[in-house]
Amino acid sequence: MVRHEAPATIAQVRHPVLSEPLPPGVSVSPLHHGRPLRVLHGVYELAGQGMMLARALREAGCDARALSYQVAWDARVSDIVVDLDRHATTFGKGVAMSTAFAKWAGAFDVFHFHFGTSFLPRRIDIPLLKAMGKKIVFHFHGCEVRNRAHMLATHRLATCTECDPFCRPPHQARILADQQAHADLTFYSTLDLADSVPNAKNLPLAIEAGRWEAASRAHPLPDPDRRDGVRSPVVIAHAPTNQLIKGTPHVIAAIERLKAEFPRVELRMIERQPWAEMPAFLAGCDILVDQLMMGWYGLLSIEGMAEGKAVVTYLRDEFAVLRPELPVVSAEPLTLYDVLRDLIRDPARRAALGARGPAYVRRYHDTGVVGPQLLAEYRSIPGLEESPA
């Protein structure tokens, strides 16, 4: 039998601390040596977070850009695109990456790298950036570092519970070794990753809340009080980036059962949906089902809350108490049918849940909040302390 050992660099389980917005009236100067702090996010987009965080920092007064090595499948386009897919050979891709490093390495003060990537393969450029006096931030989002053996051993449900594993523990160990050796600051996106990333902080996922709120206003649901799955439709949305990680088979099974009682219930799968069309697409839904395994909420939940939708996602008990005002309904595979049944039958409850969502998102996830929060975190790095113009 093969034993799956956890990489030695993986942290022991710990209780995560949720990042909080800056107190009202507190601001952080975006200046560095008398000019705007220059920040580059890269080099792959994960749910557009590089783009959103760069935009959030620009709103806070920084000179921030997002660079990506491809145009995302959902047609999000970063501020700077070096499209490696245009090159048919490994040599051509290597030249493109090396050219990008040479062009941009000297242009920024902070390099904020997502998903264990950097300009060059195996992050061999990071020691060079450090030697140039640059500040390095690692930002983890999921299976690039999630410790599957630990999650299976210590949690009843996790993204790894039903996943067909594609994570590579030796690769994860190398990423974490580089993070420990070179990172000035490390973030993770969702609370379940606190178990797997040593010496890291939670940074909230960021969206432009107003964009989603506007879509909801522009596309109101017809007959909201009658939408009970019998007299009028109830549309349930789900976005299975990876069906086994998100629990999609359980969503499909629950809704098939519900159709016997609620013939006008519809499951709307969000797959390969262009990013520009997503706000209007979500506006046509009544309920959003997000993660059923992870234990915290993801980007779909945030977008749904911003649009005033009833959101269902699995919350681990130790996470739920950290944000008691979070307006989502917790469900897991064994309880999903009953949770959805109650929500389908009760349009008023859905409306009450949805009404709390936009304020929650604006408080914790809007770019106008996350940008100053991230800038304040950068200021904790020696050499980037706040200084007068």
Side-chain angles (χ1 to χ4, degrees):
M1 179 181 294
V2 177
R3 293 184 64 197
H4 296 281
E5 298 288 348
T9 53
I10 294 289
Q12 297 300 311
V13 61
R14 61 188 178 89
H15 194 65
V17 176
L18 269 174
S19 297
E20 294 293 330
L22 295 183
V26 173
S27 62
V28 181
S29 171
L31 299 182
H32 180 61
H33 299 309
R35 51 144 176 92
L37 182 70
R38 298 167 182 161
V39 183
L40 184 71
H41 283 257
V43 295
Y44 287 97
E45 283 293 345
L46 276 298
Q49 283 305 288
M51 295 167 55
M52 284 296 103
L53 292 176
R55 184 168 300 175
L57 288 168
R58 289 197 297 272
E59 292 174 6
C62 296
D63 180 2
R65 297 291 182 271
L67 181 149
S68 178
Y69 276 163
Q70 60 184 188
V71 176
W73 61 263
D74 58 3
R76 295 181 222 235
V77 180
S78 297
D79 304 305
I80 304 167
V81 176
V82 179
D83 191 359
L84 298 187
D85 292 338
R86 295 179 56 191
H87 302 277
T89 66
T90 301
F91 177 78
K93 295 179 193 295
V95 170
M97 288 186 283
S98 299
T99 301
F101 173 77
K103 181 174 183 180
W104 300 109
F108 295 91
D109 308 303
V110 178
F111 289 84
H112 189 134
F113 290 124
H114 296 262
F115 211 72
T117 65
S118 66
F119 282 106
L120 300 178
R122 291 179 175 263
R123 298 162 300 281
I124 60 174
D125 52 303
I126 288 182
L128 299 176
L129 291 168
K130 294 288 287 187
M132 295 169 64
K134 308 302 181 179
K135 306 304 179 183
I136 304 298
V137 178
F138 277 60
H139 196 149
F140 297 123
H141 297 272
C143 295
E144 80 276 30
V145 291
R146 188 179 284 116
N147 183 351
R148 184 171 188 269
H150 169 78
M151 299 305 288
L152 291 175
T154 58
H155 297 292
R156 180 177 59 84
L157 284 177
T159 57
C160 309
T161 300
E162 297 181 353
C163 180
D164 182 9
F166 55 89
C167 52
R168 295 175 291 163
H171 178 66
Q172 293 174 319
R174 286 194 296 271
I175 290 175
L176 288 171
D178 287 343
Q179 174 259 330
Q180 291 182 19
H182 302 299
D184 295 290
L185 191 61
T186 303
F187 296 114
Y188 55 84
S189 293
T190 55
L191 295 192
D192 66 306
L193 291 173
D195 286 9
S196 301
V197 186
N199 305 315
K201 298 181 177 182
N202 170 246
L203 184 73
L205 292 162
I207 72 167
E208 295 173 291
R211 178 172 179 253
W212 302 87
E213 293 173 12
S216 181
R217 291 192 298 269
H219 305 280
L221 290 171
D223 300 322
D225 296 336
R226 293 174 54 84
R227 296 178 72 89
D228 59 5
V230 177
R231 295 175 298 170
S232 214
V234 171
V235 178
I236 301 173
H238 178 64
T241 307
N242 182 305
Q243 293 196 7
L244 297 180
I245 285 177
K246 282 209 168 185
T248 301
H250 302 287
V251 178
I252 295 171
I255 291 174
E256 285 302 312
R257 285 181 63 194
L258 288 162
K259 285 182 177 178
E261 182 177 355
F262 307 100
R264 302 192 69 181
V265 164
E266 173 191 345
L267 173 60
R268 189 170 293 177
M269 301 286 270
I270 306 171
E271 296 180 292
R272 316 301 292 183
Q273 188 74 24
W275 181 64
E277 300 174 11
M278 273 293 290
F281 183 89
L282 291 187
C285 303
D286 298 89
I287 302 170
L288 301 185
V289 180
D290 194 6
Q291 308 273 356
L292 292 182
M293 303 288 188
M294 185 170 68
W296 193 234
Y297 62 92
L299 191 64
L300 179 68
S301 294
I302 298 167
E303 293 165 348
M305 285 188 283
E307 291 209 15
K309 305 300 178 181
V311 174
V312 176
T313 196
Y314 168 54
L315 301 175
R316 278 167 37 188
D317 291 342
E318 66 268 32
F319 294 166
V321 297
L322 299 176
R323 285 273 169 80
E325 77 274 36
L326 174 63
V328 306
V329 182
S330 181
E332 58 184 81
L334 291 177
T335 64
L336 180 63
Y337 171 84
D338 291 326
V339 167
L340 288 178
R341 185 174 184 270
D342 289 344
L343 287 173
I344 291 168
R345 297 172 63 185
D346 195 344
R349 185 184 176 209
R350 297 199 306 267
L353 280 168
R356 294 161 51 201
Y360 180 91
V361 173
R362 282 202 172 270
R363 180 178 180 186
Y364 293 110
H365 296 284
D366 185 56
T367 53
V369 170
V370 179
Q373 187 175 343
L374 178 55
L375 178 56
E377 293 286 0
Y378 289 158
R379 291 300 190 199
S380 71
I381 300 173
L384 289 186
E385 299 92 344
E386 194 165 352
S387 58

